[in-house]
């Protein structure tokens, strides 16, 4: 019987990772070479810095992507292990190689289509590579490590700040219009990357406080077929919180597609129920549907 660690590092799993990384490399390269480069738009992160330097000093983009990412791969090796670093090095090296030797057609001269669909293919490429356990841009590694020391900032906050600096530089090097289109490319890439990573069935955690907790629990477990966790709590209201009553607090995890049905059932049982929902990056175990591509 295989242990989880054995399965993760098994040849079949590594083959799947390699397929994701290769697909991600070609998708990102197509987004860059088939859309952005001819219009002088850039992406965010290390790739965006490389594109700015290539435009400003007429240097080869493939070499810049490889060289500038090397320090981040080294950081990834120290902090996240050799497997992650090796996959990322192969992914970044593969992206540089494909950009250097594989010809892609210039798809469209339309600037809006270039910005949007360039971002779509780049975001899909980054997401696929991350599904394979690698990154195609060292910015994510740097932001993750920085977030450990900057407690007030999340990884996404640090990436956003770095990209704002990059796009500000693009205003001076490329001009205002290309910089604005480049921001549109970045936003499109970010949304598509999130979709590739999370899928349409993104998990949502839901906490429900209601006097009808037992009826709601039965609906969730028997009608929706989801698992629940019950917490013992006290409901308090008023200026002095002197009207306390014990009740069960329900916590469950559903997909985004199941959320409207859950809310409707809770509202039907108890229109006064207090519902809090929040996104979850991932979930494992319990009664959780497997996402596509997992």
């Amino acid at each position: 019987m295989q242990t989880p660690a054995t399965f993760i590092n098994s040849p079949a799993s590594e083959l799947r990772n390699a397929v994701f990384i290769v697909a991600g490399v070609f998708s990102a390269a197509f987004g860059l070479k088939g859309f952005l480069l001819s219009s002088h738009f850039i992406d965010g992160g290390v790739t965006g810095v490389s594109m700015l330097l290539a435009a400003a000093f007429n240097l080869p983009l493939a070499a810049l992507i490889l060289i500038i990412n090397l320090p981040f791969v080294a950081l990834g090796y120290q902090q996240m292990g050799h497997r992650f670093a090796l996959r990322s090095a192969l992914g970044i090296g593969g992206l540089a190689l494909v950009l250097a030797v594989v010809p892609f057609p210039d798809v469209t001269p339309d600037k809006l289509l270039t910005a949007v669909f360039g971002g779509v293919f780049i975001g899909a490429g980054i997401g696929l590579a991350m599904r394979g356990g690698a990154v195609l841009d060292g910015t994510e590694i740097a932001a993750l490590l920085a977030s450990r020391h900057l407690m007030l900032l999340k990884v996404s906050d640090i990436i956003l700040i770095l990209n704002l600096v990059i796009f500000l530089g693009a205003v001076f090097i490329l001009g205002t219009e290309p910089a604005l289109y480049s921001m549109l490319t970045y936003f499109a890439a970010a949304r598509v990357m999130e979709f590739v990573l999370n899928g349409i069935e993104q998990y949502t955690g839901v906490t429900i406080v209601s006097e009808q907790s037992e009826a709601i629990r039965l609906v969730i477990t028997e009608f929706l077929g989801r698992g629940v966790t019950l917490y013992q709590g006290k409901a308090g209201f008023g200026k002095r919180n002197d009207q306390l009553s014990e009740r069960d607090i329900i916590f469950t995890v559903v997909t985004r597609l199941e959320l409207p049905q859950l809310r409707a059932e809770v509202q039907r049982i108890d229109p006064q129920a207090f519902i809090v929902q929040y996104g979850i990056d991932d979930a494992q175990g319990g009664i959780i549907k497997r996402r596509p591509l997992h």
Side-chain angles (χ1 to χ4, degrees):
M1 179 177 177
Q2 285 186 319
T3 64
T6 305
F7 174 76
I8 291 172
N9 298 324
S10 67
S13 179
E14 290 299 335
L15 178 61
R16 186 195 66 171
N17 291 338
V19 170
F20 280 139
I21 294 171
V22 170
V25 164
F26 276 91
S27 179
F30 181 57
L32 291 170
K33 209 168 181 180
F35 290 92
L36 300 190
L37 291 180
S38 61
S39 298
H40 305 289
F41 299 164
I42 67 169
D43 186 28
V46 173
T47 303
V49 172
S50 302
M51 297 173 79
L52 279 179
L53 293 175
F57 301 104
N58 196 29
L59 297 172
L61 175 62
L64 287 172
I65 286 178
L66 189 61
I67 293 171
I68 298 176
N69 272 300
L70 282 178
F72 300 105
V73 174
L75 283 174
Y77 175 79
Q78 293 176 353
Q79 300 293 327
M80 303 175 192
H82 69 281
R83 289 183 179 275
F84 170 81
L86 178 60
R87 294 190 193 109
S88 297
L90 292 175
I92 293 168
L95 178 60
L97 180 64
V98 171
L99 287 173
V101 303
V102 177
F104 290 101
D106 187 9
V107 177
T108 176
D110 186 278
K111 293 182 178 180
L112 181 60
L113 292 177
T114 294
V116 172
F117 284 94
V120 166
F121 282 100
I122 291 171
I126 295 172
L128 287 170
M130 292 178 73
R131 296 297 289 266
V135 296
L136 298 181
D137 191 297
T139 308
E140 287 84 2
I141 301 174
L144 179 62
L145 297 179
S147 67
R148 296 178 179 177
H149 303 283
L150 302 174
M151 303 304 294
L152 296 179
L153 296 176
K154 299 183 295 184
V155 174
S156 57
D157 297 330
I158 297 172
I159 292 177
L160 179 60
I161 292 171
L162 292 174
N163 283 318
L164 287 176
V165 173
I166 293 169
F167 290 126
L168 182 62
V171 171
F172 295 99
I173 296 174
L174 303 176
T176 302
E177 186 175 282
L180 292 175
Y181 276 115
S182 297
M183 292 180 191
L184 182 60
T185 296
Y186 168 72
F187 291 133
R191 295 303 298 171
V192 173
M193 180 186 71
E194 179 185 348
F195 179 80
V196 171
L197 289 174
N198 296 324
I200 193 171
E201 294 189 314
Q202 183 177 7
Y203 295 124
T204 300
V206 183
T207 299
I208 305 167
V209 182
S210 169
E211 294 180 353
Q212 306 296 325
S213 57
E214 179 61 18
I216 294 173
R217 182 190 69 80
L218 290 174
V219 165
I220 295 173
T221 56
E222 297 183 6
F223 180 64
L224 297 179
R226 313 312 263 151
V228 299
T229 298
L230 297 180
Y231 299 98
Q232 280 292 114
K234 291 184 177 181
F237 55 92
K239 292 183 178 180
R240 297 182 180 178
N241 289 328
D242 54 359
Q243 302 181 48
L244 299 177
S245 58
E246 292 187 357
R247 62 189 59 179
D248 289 332
I249 300 171
I250 300 172
F251 175 77
T252 186
V253 176
V254 296
T255 65
R256 188 162 48 188
L257 294 179
E258 295 169 324
L259 185 59
Q261 187 178 21
L262 171 63
R263 292 179 64 92
E265 290 296 324
V266 173
Q267 290 296 310
R268 179 182 62 80
I269 296 171
D270 182 6
Q272 303 301 318
F274 180 63
I275 304 173
V276 180
Q277 64 187 61
Y278 40 89
I280 294 176
D281 290 336
D282 203 354
Q284 182 176 338
I287 308 175
I288 295 291
K289 287 184 179 179
R290 289 177 60 84
R291 290 179 183 153
L293 297 181
H294 263 241

